[in-house]
Amino acid sequence: IQYNFLSLFFFIQSPESWILVGNCFSLQKEHELALKCFHRALQINPDCTYANTVFFLKKISLFIYLSIY
């Protein structure tokens, strides 16, 4: 994970870096932080298809998770 944050440090204006860090947060069950990273990727490049996909899938899964528990 240190490598991923290092990637974000050097490529802070790259949506791919934010997606990478968001995926790491998602794997660690830090869903709100993952959403923030995916949202930042969309702010940088609103046309990024992968960022749109993971952002809305994570948002839907978090909504379902919170409604169950």
Side-chain angles (χ1 to χ4, degrees):
I1 292 194
Q2 290 175 345
Y3 172 76
N4 294 332
F5 287 109
L6 188 62
S7 168
L8 184 60
F9 178 75
F10 287 113
F11 303 105
I12 199 160
Q13 290 300 319
S14 167
E16 291 84 7
S17 295
W18 286 100
I19 292 168
L20 179 72
V21 174
N23 283 334
C24 289
F25 280 131
S26 182
L27 288 173
Q28 294 177 354
K29 309 288 188 227
E30 297 287 342
H31 302 296
E32 284 96 13
L33 290 174
L35 271 175
K36 288 180 183 181
C37 290
F38 298 143
H39 185 259
R40 180 66 184 135
L42 285 173
Q43 287 177 330
I44 294 171
N45 183 4
D47 297 327
C48 182
T49 306
Y50 186 69
N52 274 305
T53 303
V54 293
F55 177 75
F56 287 110
L57 285 176
K58 180 54 68 179
K59 200 167 191 173
I60 290 168
S61 66
L62 184 61
F63 175 76
I64 291 170
Y65 175 79
L66 292 176
S67 66
I68 291 174
Y69 297 105

